Amino acid sequence: MATRFGLGPVFAYEWLAGSRRWQVYALRSLLVFLMFLGLACVWLGELDDSGRMSVRQLAGIGQDFYMATALILLGLVGLAAPAATAGSVCVDKARGNLMVLFTTDLSNTEIVLGKLAARLTPVLGLIACAAPMLALATLFGGVDPLLPTGAVLVCLACGVFGCTLALTLSIWGRKTHEVLLATYAFGIFWMLSALIWAAIFEVVPWAARPSWFPGQLALLPYNPAFLVLAPLNGVTGPLSIGIKEQARFCVLGLLTSALLAALSIWRIRTVVVRQAGRGEAVRRPEPPVEARPTPFGWLAGLMPSPSLDGNPVLWRECRRRRPSLWTVAVWGLYAVVASGFSLWVVVSVLAGARGGIGEGASVISGFQTAAGLLLLSVSAATSLAEERQRGSLDVLLTTPLSTRSIVMGKWLGAFRGVPPLLIWPVLIAASVTTNNGFAPILIGGLILAYGAAITSLGLALATWLPRLDWAVGLTAGLYVVVLIGAIAFGMTVFGEGPNSIGPGVAAASPFWGVGYSTGLFSGKILSTGKAVSHSVWIVVWIVVYVVVALALLLATLKTFNRCLGRTDDRCRRSGRGLDQ
């Protein structure tokens, strides 16, 4: 076996192919454009009639610009890194390319590190493009020059760890969307770990805590968002955050990534060969969902299900396969965490403890809605993109089914995951509401509108983009831009005072739209008059998101045949499809 230095031919081939894709450069340009747009919004928000700004106002612009750009960069890196790497091994396993690589003289190290470096380089390019933009905040004052450096270190650790974790999970995972769900679920759980540990700390009695027991806020210095924003807010005391804490987080992230890469190198050949052997075995066909011997099999038979004659595609989406262990684990973890915090709010309200519950209920409702829609964005894009990548969509396109029935079946199959997401937010709103009886209905309608727009966006991008990772990454990335950018845009441009429309404009963000509305309707944040005006904003955003969902769905129907190479329905009905 020849001795080779460097990352090997796998990296050279994949990076050569990746560097020729225009999407890489478009994503970098989009990130810089969003940062410039954030700077313009912050500037317009501070500009008054005189056209002059004081030193204090300039310092406020620098701080707001740093906060917005750092959060956008952190969110995009946290989403783009797993999306770029999740299919690196899954796709090659499905196509058989990885088994061909094992027959060459390439070592496991060259294969794993080559694939990891090829996927990690575009993520590092995003961070490199954003670093000068973060440095612009120091020119306004109010931002220490070390803050952008620390933010880059935190984003670097998150990007490298996200790529390595997705690559490691893709060795054991068979589907790209399962790997993405598991990676995003881990990120969400880690962001909530400090809050979960604080709740556990309160439950454990003082007498049962040994001397080495971590403190209530022990995990907070390892939260990426806290590490980026805490130095700007001047947090002091035991939770003081500086460049040392940020550098420590970066070193720990890189060391953990190195351990995951070593695990991948050690197990990739054994796991892939074993999975390939299992895939060759003949499997018996699975029984229908309602006939499976599971504890809840009888419940599946009672649930309404689509008919085969009404929409065969939707019937196939619901029955073609049962959820995998990965999907059940991810959504099960989400359900357990969301149910635990939601039950705490509902029980506290029923027990009469209304003091401070409104603020806690708003954070819990907003965060679980934002996290659930993020996981939904993965399923929305992969419902079509994964079949397109495997080639099974070509079989569906050869059937006499109309394009409308195929698209609507895929859309409804992805949208069926939205109604379960509104159960706990609606119950929380119903329990804490004091001055708006329509609050649960408004919040439920808002979540449905968010979900409809995300479903249409994922289906449209999966139709227009041939690569699964780009479709999933762009869907999740646009969702995060709206999730964070809408709050920054509304509060900086339109203000956050009692008589401003900033909170209403910021309701375009799912976190703010559900979280702030829940706290507002609880009567703990603002007056009843403000709650009524905010209800109008909720109705406006419901209409806007429904219109966006319909527009994207119609655009998908118009371009579906052309993007996927299918003959137009009218040509097939007239018998002229083969002649043309």
Side-chain angles (χ1 to χ4, degrees):
M1 193 174 288
T3 302
R4 286 181 289 265
F5 298 95
L7 297 174
V10 175
F11 169 75
Y13 169 76
E14 296 204 4
W15 175 238
L16 180 62
S19 61
R20 294 175 178 176
R21 299 189 183 102
W22 62 270
Q23 293 92 342
V24 177
Y25 310 100
L27 183 60
R28 297 176 186 176
S29 303
L30 178 63
L31 176 61
V32 176
F33 170 76
L34 290 175
M35 290 188 169
F36 272 120
L37 183 62
L39 177 60
C41 293
V42 173
W43 181 274
L44 292 176
E46 293 289 340
L47 192 64
D48 53 12
D49 297 335
S50 63
R52 297 181 179 181
M53 293 187 181
S54 62
V55 176
R56 184 180 298 274
Q57 287 177 312
L58 291 175
I61 290 177
Q63 292 180 352
D64 292 340
F65 175 64
Y66 167 81
M67 183 184 303
T69 53
L71 288 178
I72 290 176
L73 176 61
L74 185 63
L76 288 180
V77 168
L79 293 175
T85 319
S88 58
V89 178
C90 293
V91 175
D92 286 346
K93 284 193 298 184
R95 294 176 177 175
N97 298 337
L98 200 57
M99 296 299 294
V100 176
L101 287 179
F102 288 160
T103 62
T104 65
D105 62 345
L106 292 173
S107 63
N108 292 353
T109 303
E110 289 176 313
I111 295 174
V112 171
L113 295 185
K115 288 182 172 294
L116 178 61
R119 267 64 175 190
L120 185 59
T121 303
V123 179
L124 298 180
L126 281 179
I127 299 175
C129 290
M133 296 296 299
L134 286 173
L136 287 178
T138 61
L139 302 179
F140 293 96
V143 177
D144 191 282
L146 290 178
L147 261 65
T149 304
V152 169
L153 291 177
V154 174
C155 293
L156 176 64
C158 293
V160 175
F161 178 77
C163 283
T164 312
L165 178 62
L167 177 66
T168 304
L169 293 177
S170 65
I171 294 176
W172 280 269
R174 293 180 178 271
K175 307 294 183 183
T176 303
H177 78 275
E178 296 175 355
V179 176
L180 279 175
L181 283 176
T183 307
Y184 288 157
F186 179 85
I188 294 170
F189 180 78
W190 184 253
M191 295 293 291
L192 286 174
S193 60
L195 182 60
I196 295 174
W197 178 253
I200 295 175
F201 187 87
E202 290 292 336
V203 175
V204 178
W206 284 97
R209 300 174 190 171
S211 58
W212 49 266
F213 200 74
Q216 187 175 11
L217 303 177
L219 296 180
L220 195 58
Y222 299 96
N223 186 294
F226 181 78
L227 285 171
V228 169
L229 299 180
L232 186 65
N233 298 328
V235 178
T236 59
L239 295 179
S240 178
I241 300 298
I243 190 65
K244 293 182 179 180
E245 289 75 17
Q246 294 168 334
R248 180 183 61 186
F249 178 82
C250 181
V251 171
L252 291 176
L254 296 179
L255 289 177
T256 307
S257 302
L259 293 177
L260 291 175
L263 177 62
S264 303
I265 294 171
W266 175 43
R267 298 297 298 172
I268 182 172
R269 196 177 296 261
T270 303
V271 173
V272 172
V273 171
R274 183 174 66 247
Q275 289 182 352
R278 291 177 179 175
E280 294 175 358
V282 178
R283 297 183 178 181
R284 293 179 298 176
E286 295 181 354
V289 177
E290 61 273 9
R292 292 170 190 158
T294 58
F296 301 99
W298 62 273
L299 184 60
L302 299 178
M303 298 297 291
S305 59
S307 63
L308 179 59
D309 296 331
N311 193 325
V313 178
L314 180 59
W315 182 88
R316 176 174 175 266
E317 289 292 313
C318 297
R319 294 176 177 245
R320 61 174 175 167
R321 64 178 185 270
R322 56 185 175 186
S324 63
L325 183 61
W326 290 54
T327 305
V328 172
V330 169
W331 282 107
L333 177 63
Y334 169 81
V336 169
V337 175
S339 300
F341 282 101
S342 301
L343 282 175
W344 172 76
V345 172
V346 174
V347 171
S348 299
V349 172
L350 294 178
R354 289 189 173 272
I357 294 297
E359 290 79 359
S362 63
V363 174
I364 292 173
S365 295
F367 203 96
Q368 69 174 300
T369 302
L373 291 177
L374 174 60
L375 297 179
L376 176 71
S377 66
V378 177
S379 302
T382 54
S383 62
L384 177 68
E386 206 166 51
E387 280 200 79
R388 183 179 183 181
Q389 186 172 353
R390 291 200 310 264
S392 59
L393 185 63
D394 296 337
V395 180
L396 184 63
L397 297 179
T398 59
T399 62
L401 293 173
S402 64
T403 300
R404 181 180 177 276
S405 63
I406 295 175
V407 174
M408 291 304 301
K410 289 290 183 180
W411 190 91
L412 292 173
F415 183 77
R416 62 194 175 115
V418 177
L421 297 179
L422 59 86
I423 295 176
W424 282 117
V426 168
L427 290 178
I428 291 176
S431 63
V432 302
T433 296
T434 58
N435 53 9
N436 192 337
F438 294 98
I441 299 176
L442 292 174
I443 290 178
L446 191 60
I447 295 176
L448 290 176
Y450 291 145
I454 293 174
T455 303
S456 298
L457 176 63
L459 185 61
L461 292 178
T463 303
W464 300 335
L465 300 177
R467 287 177 56 89
L468 184 145
D469 53 349
W470 282 105
V472 176
L474 193 55
T475 303
L478 291 176
Y479 168 72
V480 170
V481 168
V482 175
L483 183 70
I484 300 175
I487 301 176
F489 177 79
M491 294 304 182
T492 55
V493 176
F494 298 99
E496 51 183 321
N499 298 322
S500 63
I501 62 174
V505 176
S509 168
F511 176 80
W512 187 268
V514 176
Y516 177 83
S517 302
T518 301
L520 182 67
F521 295 146
S522 68
K524 301 296 181 182
I525 296 180
L526 291 178
S527 62
T528 304
K530 184 62 178 178
V532 173
S533 62
H534 190 74
S535 300
V536 177
W537 275 105
I538 293 180
V539 174
V540 169
W541 284 117
I542 290 175
V543 174
V544 169
Y545 274 107
V546 169
V547 171
V548 170
L550 291 176
L552 289 173
L553 185 59
L554 291 176
T556 304
L557 288 171
K558 291 291 184 181
T559 58
F560 187 83
N561 292 337
R562 180 168 55 86
C563 292
L564 297 178
R566 196 188 195 206
T567 307
D568 188 73
D569 294 339
R570 292 174 296 179
C571 296
R572 291 200 315 275
R573 286 194 296 267
S574 61
R576 294 182 287 115
L578 296 177
D579 296 335
Q580 295 181 357

